[in-house]
Amino acid sequence: GMEGKAAIVSAKVRDDGAAALEPIFLRIGEKLAGIEARHPGVTMRLTGVTYVSASISLSMISELAWSLFAAASIILLIIILALRSPVLGLFSVLPNVFPLAATGAMLVLVGMPIQYTSVMSFTICLGIAVDDTIHLLMRYRKLQRSGVAADAAVRQTLREVGAVLVTTTLIMVGSFLVLQVSELPMIRLFGLMCALALAWAVIGDLIFLPAILAWWERRRSKV
């Protein structure tokens, strides 16, 4: 009889990422369940390094994504409380979401799936980008309270803080690009993602944020 006997069936799959492989594994699992139903006493199980790692990857990336969302929400609340202005807090959203969205869009364009290192770099760069935004908004707020007109406050903020942000960003981007000499693909990807996100972040802070502030003040002056 077949009692106590087992067989292993191996197959190769393309390394298309956990998200692309999940529906394939689900279909295979359904077919195996159908075979079990037709043959009582036969047990079939899908396993292997690729299957297990794909399942774990999807779970971990999902948890990291939720952590990133939670961190962004907490940061927004802190900015609102620190500046005592819900409006300025909301204005900080676009320049800080932009670098993550732009870097994510580049991943899509080159056909690269989201990995642990991608989400980790997003989390790190979000903190750095928010730090730059807070410097700009705090200086802008201080100038406004001292009686400086809104447009002049925006320009003066860019003169005083902009050069510092560009310099520190260039230093950090250079530091992350050094990681491209690493032999580990994961380290190279991490360095490249951080460098790209930081470059987009300084654009968001020095172009989008001042434009939003200027637009808002002109809109308020017309009311």
Side-chain angles (χ1 to χ4, degrees):
M2 294 293 294
E3 186 176 351
K5 292 187 177 181
I8 299 176
V9 179
S10 300
K12 294 181 179 180
V13 294
R14 290 176 56 183
D15 186 14
D16 290 337
L21 293 175
E22 184 187 29
I24 297 174
F25 291 148
L26 287 175
R27 289 198 300 271
I28 295 174
E30 291 172 358
K31 291 184 181 296
L32 294 181
I35 295 173
E36 285 185 350
R38 292 193 300 271
H39 301 278
V42 174
T43 302
M44 307 190 76
R45 183 164 58 93
L46 186 61
T47 187
V49 174
T50 304
Y51 172 74
V52 173
S53 61
S55 301
I56 295 174
S57 295
L58 285 173
S59 176
M60 290 186 66
I61 291 173
S62 176
E63 290 173 3
L64 285 169
W66 275 108
S67 297
L68 179 62
F69 176 77
S73 301
I74 294 170
I75 288 169
L76 173 61
L77 179 61
I78 291 172
I79 291 176
I80 290 174
L81 293 175
L83 298 174
R84 296 182 178 85
S85 172
V87 172
L88 289 180
L90 290 174
F91 286 169
S92 71
V93 171
L94 178 60
N96 288 300
V97 169
F98 169 70
L100 307 186
T103 308
M106 293 181 72
L107 285 178
V108 173
L109 288 175
V110 300
M112 185 178 293
I114 291 288
Q115 300 179 26
Y116 309 127
T117 47
S118 306
V119 185
M120 285 174 61
S121 64
F122 284 167
T123 305
I124 293 170
C125 293
L126 175 63
I128 297 173
V130 167
D131 181 63
D132 293 347
T133 303
I134 291 174
H135 280 298
L136 284 164
L137 288 177
M138 292 294 283
R139 185 58 185 158
Y140 171 77
R141 191 75 164 161
K142 185 176 181 179
L143 289 170
Q144 260 202 324
R145 286 174 175 169
S146 66
V148 180
D151 284 346
V154 171
R155 288 194 295 271
Q156 189 171 338
T157 298
L158 285 175
R159 282 198 303 270
E160 294 178 359
V161 184
V164 176
L165 297 188
V166 170
T167 303
T168 55
T169 298
L170 287 174
I171 292 171
M172 287 187 289
V173 167
S175 300
F176 281 118
L177 287 178
V178 169
L179 297 178
Q180 296 307 298
V181 302
S182 172
E183 295 183 0
L184 297 175
M186 187 176 294
I187 298 298
R188 292 200 301 270
L189 176 62
F190 177 77
L192 181 61
M193 293 284 294
C194 286
L196 288 173
L198 290 174
W200 288 119
V202 79
I203 292 174
D205 280 325
L206 297 184
I207 296 178
F208 292 159
L209 184 58
I212 293 170
L213 293 173
W215 166 81
W216 174 250
E217 294 302 336
R218 283 197 297 270
R219 186 175 180 277
R220 279 208 314 178
S221 63
K222 291 177 182 179
V223 176

